[in-house]
Amino acid sequence: MAILTDESRGKIEAYFVKAGLFTDEQLDDYRKKAKEEEEPLFSYLMRNGIINDEQLAEATARTSGMPYVNLSRAVVDGKVLELLPMETAQRFMAVPLGETNEGGAKRLAVAMLDANNVQAVDFLSNAIGRPIKVYMASESGINNVLSQYRMDVDEGVKASLDAPGPKITTNAQIIVQDSPISKILTQLLEYAQRVRASDIHIEPSETKLTIRCRIDGVLRVVMNLPKSVEAALVSRIKILSNLKIDEHRKPQDGQFTVMVGDKEVDLRIAIAPVVWGEQVVIRLLDKSGSSFKLEDMGYAGRALRTIRRGIKRPNGMVLTSGPTGSGKSTSLYALVQEIYSEKINIVTLEDPVEYKMEGVNQIQVNPAVGLTFATGLRSILRQDPDVVLVGEIRDNETANLAVQAALTGHLVFSTLHTNSAAGILPRLLDMGVEPFLIASTINTVIGQRLVRRVASDKETYESSPMETQAIKDSIGYLLPKNPVEVKSVEEDLGYGSLPLADAKSFTLTKGKDSPTTPGGFKGRLGLYEVMEITDEIQQLIIKHATSSQIQRVGVAQGMIPMHEDGMLKALRGLTTIDEVNRVAANIA
């Protein structure tokens, strides 16, 4: 937003009072509080939710006579976006709206954050080489349109790639001549950050290099590059990751950190030889935008109460399970944050340390120097910990050490790769841990998956007969049977308002498909099943019961399985039935 004069600020304040957002008395109070906190008034108002950036942009435009446009939900055609290069749009925080023909003069309509800044407007007009018609928009509105730019290599890079000349073949040449390659990598990382991708896959084939991004858990092709780019791009990534650029036969792992926009992003690199070259997978870990609150992640009702009982115990184990990318590590971080206190010593052993947590002693596993999970765990137990987090139990030695740590008065958090919560217990038996030790040390086990969350721009509809029957078959036993039960069942399950079990249909929700919310989804949330290890389940463990037998007893004692948890969240409008079935339908 442009720097405002005292006169402009006064007009905007009067505009808000006239619009009824607050009274003159409240405004005086806000001024005093903002002054006490040494913060500009409008920043204070936005931080406390009294106004938002859209309202401030509109007020600024109306009081200055500038045309205003709300872009918070705007969808701009791809051909229109091509009128203003993405690099220029990001640099000036300006996006194209289309072409106008006012008074016979053809102009490009552009929405800008700093539309009152005449110098910035002239500079933009000169940069794109044509006259423009300027509208004012909010930062969030402009970011919404910026996120709709498709991933593409800019024309300068294309020209460099297509220019005639010697092919880049040697490593020395790659290092010297990699300017276009650096630009490609920068654009790729910026695009991935903008669309909230968790992974970038760079995959060689016989004739091209395919780039795919995993967005909300689903891979999508975002661009194809010439095969000739492969060697230089992979070598550039190896250089940044401190890997061997002349090693093409063995897999290599590395990491580095970059600033994407104003955010610091950790990148984990995995490179493996494939038939047509080397495949690169880049995991993006945004260090600024993660919530580690159990409720925000999707825990509710019985599951939340069971977890909190488990972590309040002074010793024992809390284990999470699920496939790669199901949010297990995030759950562990949330548990650590839940119990964090200056009165206890929390030590973690991770590979890698994905998020830095204030006040927690985090150790990075490094097998190259002999620091494995097992050796690290032995060392941790000599550091007087109260709580130990082991990133993953991968082998018999680590499993037995974790159990011994729990037996000797420590609270241990860790993860295992199993299909369900109940599957954790037989898996530990397979690792050679004695049944009576498992039974006596484990407090709580968690199974989880991630589903895509319905976007905020959504609509409701009534379930079809097939969907209605599927809901009744899955969670009919959990829903209230009559109006008298509704309140007690809602409080028990913790999913908000619930329909009656004998309803003729159910109200479901779906998001609206758009470039920023493909398929109607934006973001993800967890599906969970949380099992408390009761006396009855302990007896089953000692008898070497199967996971299905343990699962049945867990459900009988009140555990809500993952699929049922997903169905309840679909009824609440957080996700869809199709998404729940995609992720959790076949979990035993």
Side-chain angles (χ1 to χ4, degrees):
M1 191 65 66
I3 297 173
L4 300 172
T5 64
D6 289 342
E7 182 184 1
S8 299
R9 277 193 291 270
K11 287 181 180 179
I12 295 170
E13 291 167 7
Y15 180 92
F16 284 139
V17 171
K18 187 176 180 181
L21 293 181
F22 41 74
T23 64
D24 284 318
E25 293 76 15
Q26 288 173 318
L27 177 59
D28 289 336
D29 185 47
Y30 295 146
R31 283 197 190 108
K32 289 176 185 175
K33 290 179 179 176
K35 190 174 182 180
E36 288 171 5
E37 297 184 22
E38 298 181 347
E39 186 176 11
L41 174 63
F42 295 142
S43 298
Y44 172 84
L45 295 176
M46 285 196 288
R47 182 170 60 82
N48 288 279
I50 300 160
I51 62 172
N52 57 41
D53 71 332
E54 201 63 60
Q55 291 168 319
L56 181 57
E58 182 175 8
T60 305
R62 303 294 185 215
T63 56
S64 63
M66 177 69 61
Y68 160 77
V69 60
N70 186 335
L71 299 176
S72 58
R73 292 190 176 182
V75 178
V76 180
D77 186 86
K79 291 182 179 178
V80 173
L81 294 177
E82 290 174 2
L83 298 173
L84 188 64
M86 183 175 68
E87 190 176 344
T88 305
Q90 289 174 325
R91 179 182 172 193
F92 288 96
M93 282 301 286
V95 292
L97 304 177
E99 291 185 321
T100 65
N101 198 1
E102 292 185 9
K106 204 170 185 180
R107 297 186 175 198
L108 177 63
V110 175
M112 290 184 70
L113 180 64
D114 199 7
N116 277 327
N117 188 330
V118 177
Q119 188 176 4
V121 172
D122 288 343
F123 209 81
L124 175 62
S125 179
N126 291 330
I128 61 177
R130 60 186 300 185
I132 59 176
K133 165 76 174 175
V134 180
Y135 294 79
M136 183 171 285
S138 68
E139 183 175 1
S140 59
I142 288 173
N143 281 329
N144 170 51
V145 177
L146 284 174
S147 69
Q148 296 171 36
Y149 273 89
R150 67 189 181 90
M151 176 61 199
D152 202 358
V153 180
D154 68 32
E155 293 303 318
V157 176
K158 278 183 180 175
S160 299
L161 294 175
D162 296 337
K167 295 292 182 183
I168 298 173
T169 53
T170 70
N171 294 328
Q173 286 175 314
I174 288 168
I175 295 168
V176 173
Q177 301 182 21
D178 67 353
S179 180
I181 299 304
S182 296
K183 289 183 179 179
I184 290 175
L185 186 58
T186 300
Q187 287 181 316
L188 183 55
L189 293 174
E190 287 176 350
Y191 174 82
Q193 178 71 9
R194 201 168 64 243
V195 298
R196 314 174 319 279
S198 60
D199 301 87
I200 301 170
H201 290 234
I202 301 172
E203 301 168 334
S205 63
E206 185 177 6
T207 58
K208 63 184 178 181
L209 195 64
T210 301
I211 312 293
R212 297 196 290 172
C213 287
R214 189 177 294 279
I215 304 166
D216 294 336
V218 179
L219 279 169
R220 297 187 181 90
V221 175
V222 297
M223 69 182 302
N224 290 299
L225 291 171
K227 180 71 173 175
S228 58
V229 173
E230 180 193 341
L233 182 58
V234 174
S235 291
R236 180 63 183 165
I237 294 168
K238 286 179 178 179
I239 290 166
L240 293 170
S241 311
N242 289 320
L243 301 177
K244 297 177 181 177
I245 61 175
D246 58 346
E247 176 58 73
H248 306 290
R249 299 169 301 169
K250 294 191 296 188
Q252 296 189 77
D253 296 329
Q255 61 185 50
F256 63 97
T257 301
V258 294
M259 290 296 296
V260 180
D262 57 351
K263 292 185 177 180
E264 188 176 17
V265 181
D266 278 342
L267 305 177
R268 285 163 51 188
I269 312 299
I271 300 177
V274 293
V275 173
W276 297 112
E278 290 180 280
Q279 180 189 23
V280 181
V281 177
I282 304 174
R283 169 69 56 89
L284 291 89
L285 301 168
D286 185 350
K287 299 158 73 172
S288 61
S290 299
S291 170
F292 294 126
K293 291 185 178 178
L294 292 169
E295 293 90 344
D296 293 345
M297 292 163 57
Y299 287 100
R302 294 180 191 174
L304 190 57
R305 292 193 296 272
T306 302
I307 284 177
R308 285 181 168 152
R309 278 198 302 272
I311 64 178
K312 281 180 181 176
R313 297 183 186 179
N315 60 284
M317 297 178 72
V318 177
L319 301 176
T320 68
S321 71
T324 300
S326 60
K328 300 187 297 299
S329 297
T330 307
S331 284
L332 292 186
Y333 283 119
L335 296 182
V336 168
Q337 185 158 299
E338 183 85 10
I339 65 168
Y340 173 76
S341 164
E342 292 181 354
K343 298 178 181 178
I344 60 175
N345 179 22
I346 303 173
V347 185
T348 77
L349 189 63
E350 305 172 59
D351 184 22
V353 175
E354 294 187 2
Y355 299 98
K356 315 299 188 291
M357 301 187 77
E358 187 71 29
V360 178
N361 301 297
Q362 296 173 274
I363 299 173
Q364 166 77 54
V365 168
N366 186 356
V369 297
L371 180 54
T372 63
F373 279 113
T375 57
L377 189 48
R378 283 197 188 89
S379 171
I380 283 176
L381 296 179
R382 294 191 288 271
Q383 296 175 7
D384 186 32
D386 298 287
V387 179
V388 177
L389 185 155
V390 182
E392 185 182 344
I393 294 176
R394 295 178 179 174
D395 52 47
N396 299 12
E397 188 179 8
T398 308
N400 279 289
L401 284 168
V403 168
Q404 291 300 323
L407 279 173
T408 53
H410 304 90
L411 184 59
V412 179
F413 299 151
S414 192
T415 69
L416 275 170
H417 285 281
T418 64
N419 203 37
S420 63
I424 288 177
L425 307 171
R427 179 79 181 100
L428 287 173
L429 288 172
D430 292 342
M431 286 185 164
V433 181
E434 292 293 339
F436 69 91
L437 292 178
I438 298 172
S440 59
T441 56
I442 296 182
N443 301 338
T444 312
V445 291
I446 304 166
Q448 64 184 80
R449 296 289 188 278
L450 291 177
V451 292
R452 290 178 291 175
R453 189 189 290 265
V454 170
S456 56
D457 189 7
K458 54 192 175 184
E459 58 190 14
T460 59
Y461 67 97
E462 291 302 306
S463 59
S464 67
M466 188 177 293
E467 288 173 326
T468 301
Q469 192 58 49
I471 292 169
K472 289 182 177 181
D473 291 345
S474 177
I475 57 174
Y477 73 99
L478 291 169
L479 298 176
K481 305 298 183 289
N482 55 65
V484 178
E485 293 182 3
V486 170
K487 188 174 181 181
S488 62
V489 171
E490 287 176 353
E491 288 176 354
D492 175 39
L493 297 180
Y495 290 89
S497 58
L498 292 172
L500 295 177
D502 62 355
K504 292 183 179 178
S505 66
F506 300 96
T507 301
L508 300 174
T509 305
K510 61 182 178 181
K512 294 180 180 178
D513 188 32
S514 76
T516 55
T517 57
F521 299 102
K522 187 172 185 178
R524 290 190 288 177
L525 78 155
L527 306 186
Y528 304 98
E529 55 186 23
V530 183
M531 182 186 296
E532 190 168 22
I533 306 305
T534 61
D535 292 342
E536 190 174 351
I537 292 175
Q538 285 180 350
Q539 292 303 313
L540 288 174
I541 296 169
I542 292 170
K543 293 175 182 176
H544 290 254
T546 64
S547 59
S548 58
Q549 290 173 318
I550 295 170
Q551 177 89 354
R552 281 195 293 271
V553 173
V555 171
Q557 293 180 348
M559 181 186 82
I560 299 175
M562 267 183 276
H563 186 262
E564 281 84 326
D565 181 54
M567 285 295 199
L568 287 165
K569 284 169 179 167
L571 281 185
R572 192 179 167 192
L574 299 176
T575 188
T576 66
I577 290 178
D578 286 345
E579 186 67 6
V580 172
N581 288 335
R582 178 182 72 86
V583 169
N586 299 316
I587 297 173

